[in-house]
Amino acid sequence: MSFPAAARQPGALGQADAVDPAASPAIQRLKSWVLATGDNQGLPFVLIDKVEARVFAFSPDGGLLGTAPVLLGLARGDISPPGIGDRPLSAIAPEDRITPSGRFLAATGENLTGASVLWIDYDEALSLHPVRGRPADRRLQRLATPTPEDNRISYGCVNVPVAFYDDIIAPTFRGTAGIVYILPEHRPITEVFPGV
């Protein structure tokens, strides 16, 4: 896949480098590295902090488009089990419901029910999508709580508020690919993102 020319020169940091003041030091560090190296290749990008259960979306030049709480995989970990994308949901044990860390080339598409999603890793069935699920899961309530302790519920996908998906993710990724960076929760950041 070819990428558009970088929207800015690597190493040229400026006002676009500002991150929400509530962002963790790890998010701030990763964003600075993305912009300093041009790793996003002139594409919009998303940073996901699993420890804080929060997502940050950026324009190609690093302008903050929005941030929101997220729901993540029930199990903690940084590596998806082998073949997870080929299993039916009913065959995914609780300990295998991991949101993996890493750098992913992402694009919008549809899931098996025809709903819009941002495919983070299509082969592994990993997507970012508006929150949905059984009312008994209390997903909307989990998103609304002030701490990340109850934000682990999904099979591995990243669930975001509907308004964040509709107003930020869908228009930002319309007609283009983008990069999704998911911070690790156990592995060192430099192991997942060499050079950071």
Side-chain angles (χ1 to χ4, degrees), residues 19-32 47-54 56 67 183-184 189:
V19 179
D20 184 295
S24 69
I27 285 287
Q28 295 181 40
R29 181 178 173 192
L30 183 56
K31 183 186 179 205
S32 293
L47 306 181
I48 298 171
D49 187 334
K50 291 197 291 180
V51 173
E52 298 296 326
R54 194 140 197 97
F56 300 83
T67 181
L183 281 165
I189 190 172

Side-chain angles (χ1 to χ4, degrees), residues 98-129:
I98 295 170
T99 301
S101 58
R103 178 189 187 275
F104 304 89
L105 179 63
T108 55
E110 294 181 350
N111 66 11
L112 292 176
T113 67
S116 177
V117 300
L118 177 68
W119 284 112
I120 297 173
D121 186 335
Y122 184 83
D123 291 337
E124 296 298 323
L126 176 64
S127 68
L128 181 152
H129 59 75

Side-chain angles (χ1 to χ4, degrees), residues 8-189:
R8 55 191 283 157
Q9 293 297 316
L13 301 180
Q15 290 217 342
D17 302 316
V19 179
D20 184 295
S24 69
I27 285 287
Q28 295 181 40
R29 181 178 173 192
L30 183 56
K31 183 186 179 205
S32 293
W33 174 79
V34 167
L35 295 176
T37 62
D39 188 77
N40 64 315
Q41 299 179 297
L43 297 170
F45 62 101
V46 169
L47 306 181
I48 298 171
D49 187 334
K50 291 197 291 180
V51 173
E52 298 296 326
R54 194 140 197 97
V55 61
F56 300 83
F58 299 95
S59 63
D61 68 355
L64 179 64
L65 300 174
T67 181
V70 296
L71 301 179
L72 300 160
L74 177 67
R76 296 185 187 276
D78 293 314
I79 300 171
S80 291
I84 194 77
D86 297 324
R87 298 187 208 169
L89 292 180
S90 60
I92 301 176
E95 64 272 14
D96 290 339
R97 298 174 188 178
I98 295 170
T99 301
S101 58
R103 178 189 187 275
F104 304 89
L105 179 63
T108 55
E110 294 181 350
N111 66 11
L112 292 176
T113 67
S116 177
V117 300
L118 177 68
W119 284 112
I120 297 173
D121 186 335
Y122 184 83
D123 291 337
E124 296 298 323
L126 176 64
S127 68
L128 181 152
H129 59 75
V131 68
R132 50 184 168 261
R134 301 172 307 145
D137 289 341
R138 301 179 55 254
R139 292 185 186 224
L140 292 174
Q141 293 88 340
R142 289 169 183 269
L143 279 174
T145 60
T147 67
E149 276 72 41
D150 61 351
N151 289 48
R152 308 307 286 253
I153 183 73
S154 81
Y155 281 82
C157 287
V158 179
N159 297 187
V160 298
V162 173
F164 182 81
Y165 187 87
D166 290 346
D167 299 342
I168 305 289
I169 297 298
T172 299
F173 284 82
R174 186 174 293 125
T176 186
I179 309 295
V180 173
Y181 302 87
I182 304 178
L183 281 165
E185 54 191 336
H186 296 309
R187 300 163 70 195
I189 190 172

